[in-house]
Amino acid sequence: MPNLAARLVISLLLLIGLSACQPSSKPEKPLNGPSQQTLEFDRLFTQFDDINKPGASVAVMQDGEIIFSKGYGSANLEYDIPVTPETMFHVASVSKQFTVFAILLLAEEGKLNFDDDIRQYIPEVPDFGHTITLRHLASHTSGMRDQWNLLRMAGWRLDDVITTEHVLKMVAKQKELNFKPGEEFLYSNTGFTLLAEVVARVSGKSFAQFTQERLFTPLNMSNSLFYDDHQKIVSNRAYSYERSGNGYKKSVLNFSNVGATSLFTTAEDLLKWSANFTEPTVGSPAVIEQMNTLASLNNGETFGGAYGQFISYYKGTKYIQHSGGDAGFRSYLARFPKQNLAIAILNNGADARPWELALQIADRLIKKNNPPPQNAIADAFLESISPKQISDSLELSEDILNAFVGHYWYEPETYSREIYLENGKLMYSRGQDDVSALAPISKNTFKMLNVEGEIYVKFTKNDEKSLMTVKVDNVDTYVSVAYTPVKITKTWLSQFAGSYFSPELSSTYHFSPENKQLKISHHRLSDHYIAPVKDDFFSSQIGDILFERDVHGKVNGFRISNGRVRNLYFRKL
């Protein structure tokens, strides 16, 4: 007969078994499927939801809670590794706001001042005759030439190993600025590489170490780091790709420089960062306010740029944002302060457009209590054109359209545009297959199609000169004058032949006439050919080239500009 202990065990087992067979007093709720909101977001990212394609990671925070976080597609096409919320992406220029924040933390501690001269900390920066402050660098108003453009012109590939030391040596050789500090806004990565170096020199720690200790750890951003060593192994990282025919190829990135770029992070970690702007754990409210304040030029005007980020409006709603793009990585972080909403989207395919997806998400979440600003297209420039006229564009005869065909020169920035006729439509060409169609909305005014923003083109005459006026978003106006391209002969081209050297790039270009074009040769770049646009002005893959002459009319050098670098000088050897 079993002893008492054994009988108790048997009784307990029987009770457990019986209770397991009894119906629950609380019926179990049926499992719910995805919410309607989740299904909507999934539809937005259908293009990435394929393990055979580069992917996306998206995270959305509203009222302090992450309401959506998901990965799509592949983080590594060679091993079919899927993107998850823990996948770390290189976020390129989204890095810049972290760099400014680090500077402001040091300023708050009295270790530097935002208006200090950069040469106080990095004396290798040349004396350009004007003071360049940390504030100038943090707002893209320094006039410093952009590091990536300079390196390309010097023959570097952007998949080369590029270190902070390389950038600093390039900066040390510069002899001119693009403009006087504070006079203009012109995006410059160089400024943020310099700011990160200031953080390192003032703190006595590497920028990666400083940001880890002062930003990422306190904010519990456990999947974030600044990547200052291209050989460093990063777990759960994504690799970048670009389209090649019907498939993809690797878009290699070997950056070993920080400040302007090189933050590895996740979409969820970026939301932890965003939350710090609402309820600061790191930095004081004064630091947050400075970050979110519009920078101004010497004349007091603002330009939409704050510090390491930009202030924008979408359908009347203010938001603070920055995008990023290096190799095949694309990233976007947007904060909508009044709505307490933040959206982070990270991609590893070069054709992704995360900023568009972020605004589509915002459309679904922002309360429609802010009416969009009125479309102010009815001004003298557009001759009071109605929306109906824009949507129902006119049909103009080829005889009328041919009157506008030709080449147009914009003198302030020395560039050319060509207008030509194709299949009964006017085409606006920027060169190198960058073409937009023009839809007529009056006999001499056209709307540019398939471009971001509202761009209108109007053709007029002034003192027998044919003019082309381009108006962008009813704000910026550019007036170009028609001209006749130069007649090219081998003899005319031969005057430009020779070798030209830039001490600022430590680089030499060779020009030789060939088949009514100039061939450009460089020891690291592929040969390519250029033709004159107007007089001594040529457009090339490396930038716009304007040859200079001595008092006798002989070519003795040239200056080259390519957007973020202006008037860099090469002398003829």
Side-chain angles (χ1 to χ4, degrees), residues 59-77:
V60 182
M61 177 180 283
Q62 192 166 39
D63 297 327
E65 292 186 8
I66 293 180
I67 62 170
F68 184 76
S69 179
K70 194 168 181 179
Y72 303 86
S74 181
N76 187 305
L77 291 175

Side-chain angles (χ1 to χ4, degrees), residues 197-224:
E197 183 66 12
V198 170
V199 171
R201 295 188 186 189
V202 170
S203 69
K205 301 176 180 179
S206 72
F207 184 72
Q209 183 182 359
F210 181 89
T211 49
Q212 186 65 56
E213 293 176 2
R214 300 294 303 277
L215 300 179
F216 304 143
T217 298
L219 294 175
N220 195 29
M221 296 173 66
S222 55
N223 292 312
S224 299

Side-chain angles (χ1 to χ4, degrees), residues 140-143 178-186 297 303 566:
H140 301 284
T141 60
S142 68
N178 284 329
F179 50 82
K180 182 180 175 182
E183 289 294 306
E184 299 181 39
F185 160 80
L186 184 63
L297 302 176
F303 48 86
R566 298 179 185 172

Side-chain angles (χ1 to χ4, degrees), residues 51 74 76-82 241:
I51 195 63
S74 181
N76 187 305
L77 291 175
E78 293 173 309
Y79 294 98
D80 293 336
I81 299 173
Y241 303 92

Side-chain angles (χ1 to χ4, degrees), residues 93-97 100 136-141 184-189 192 260 277 290-295 302-314 317-324 332-337 564:
S93 289
V94 173
S95 309
K96 289 180 170 68
Q97 56 198 279
V100 179
H136 287 139
L137 297 171
S139 57
H140 301 284
T141 60
E184 299 181 39
F185 160 80
L186 184 63
Y187 198 93
S188 174
N189 287 282
F192 290 81
F277 282 81
Q290 178 70 83
M291 289 284 296
N292 294 340
T293 299
L294 282 171
T302 58
F303 48 86
Y307 295 95
Q309 46 194 357
F310 293 90
I311 297 177
S312 306
Y313 288 85
Y314 180 62
T317 299
K318 175 183 175 180
Y319 67 106
I320 302 169
Q321 54 80 22
H322 208 299
S323 61
Y332 194 68
L333 175 62
R335 297 185 287 113
F336 297 78
R564 296 176 183 174

Side-chain angles (χ1 to χ4, degrees), residues 54 59 212-213 219 239 318 399 488 497 505 542:
Q212 186 65 56
E213 293 176 2
L219 294 175
Y239 287 82
K318 175 183 175 180
D399 286 341
I488 306 169
L505 300 182
I542 54 173

Side-chain angles (χ1 to χ4, degrees), residues 20 60 91 99 125 154 168 186-187 211 256-257 316 322 363 398 413 429 437 453-454 468 510 553 567:
V60 182
V91 297
T99 306
V125 174
L168 293 178
L186 184 63
Y187 198 93
T211 49
S256 286
N257 59 83
H322 208 299
D363 266 335
E398 289 198 2
E413 295 181 21
S429 173
E454 298 286 323
M468 178 177 70
H510 306 277
N567 300 316

Side-chain angles (χ1 to χ4, degrees), residues 342-545:
I343 303 167
I345 301 177
L346 311 179
N347 295 94
N348 60 334
D351 55 351
R353 301 172 69 84
W355 44 91
E356 293 180 354
L357 293 165
L359 293 180
Q360 290 180 58
I361 289 174
D363 266 335
R364 289 155 172 78
L365 296 173
I366 294 175
K367 294 178 182 178
K368 301 299 188 291
N369 56 1
N370 290 315
Q374 295 297 310
N375 190 343
I377 60 171
D379 63 356
F381 173 75
L382 295 176
E383 299 173 315
S384 300
I385 300 161
S386 71
K388 185 175 186 303
Q389 285 177 287
I390 293 175
S391 59
D392 303 334
S393 60
L394 306 174
E395 291 291 335
L396 298 180
S397 69
E398 289 198 2
D399 286 341
I400 293 175
L401 295 176
N402 267 317
F404 309 131
V405 167
H407 294 79
Y408 294 82
W409 182 259
Y410 182 63
E411 184 60 38
E413 295 181 21
T414 60
Y415 64 72
S416 172
R417 296 291 183 257
E418 182 182 4
I419 303 297
Y420 63 90
L421 198 59
E422 184 177 89
N423 298 324
K425 291 184 178 180
L426 279 189
M427 309 299 290
Y428 179 98
S429 173
R430 305 168 191 84
Q432 298 182 2
D433 300 321
D434 186 4
V435 179
S436 299
L438 299 178
I441 49 180
S442 78
K443 287 188 176 181
N444 67 335
T445 307
F446 299 75
K447 185 178 191 295
M448 194 175 294
L449 303 180
N450 301 319
V451 291
E452 186 176 344
E454 298 286 323
I455 302 180
Y456 297 91
V457 180
K458 183 174 182 178
F459 298 94
T460 56
K461 282 188 176 290
N462 183 14
D463 296 331
E464 299 306 314
K465 289 182 179 180
S466 295
L467 305 179
M468 178 177 70
T469 301
V470 177
K471 192 149 193 173
V472 181
D473 293 332
N474 204 43
V475 176
D476 298 316
T477 302
Y478 307 91
V479 180
S480 303
V481 180
Y483 73 95
T484 302
V486 67
K487 185 177 181 181
I488 306 169
T489 65
K490 187 174 182 180
T491 302
W492 185 83
L493 281 176
S494 64
Q495 65 186 315
F496 304 108
S499 297
Y500 298 76
F501 176 74
S502 167
E504 294 171 274
L505 300 182
S506 298
S507 207
T508 301
Y509 284 96
H510 306 277
F511 292 82
S512 54
E514 197 171 298
N515 298 325
K516 293 188 176 181
Q517 291 182 308
L518 278 181
K519 181 172 77 172
I520 300 181
S521 301
H522 183 276
H523 75 285
R524 290 206 65 191
L525 300 172
S526 298
D527 293 351
H528 64 281
Y529 295 85
I530 61 174
V533 176
K534 178 179 181 287
D535 302 328
D536 292 339
F537 180 83
F538 292 69
S539 183
S540 78
Q541 294 175 12
I542 54 173
D544 293 331
I545 295 172

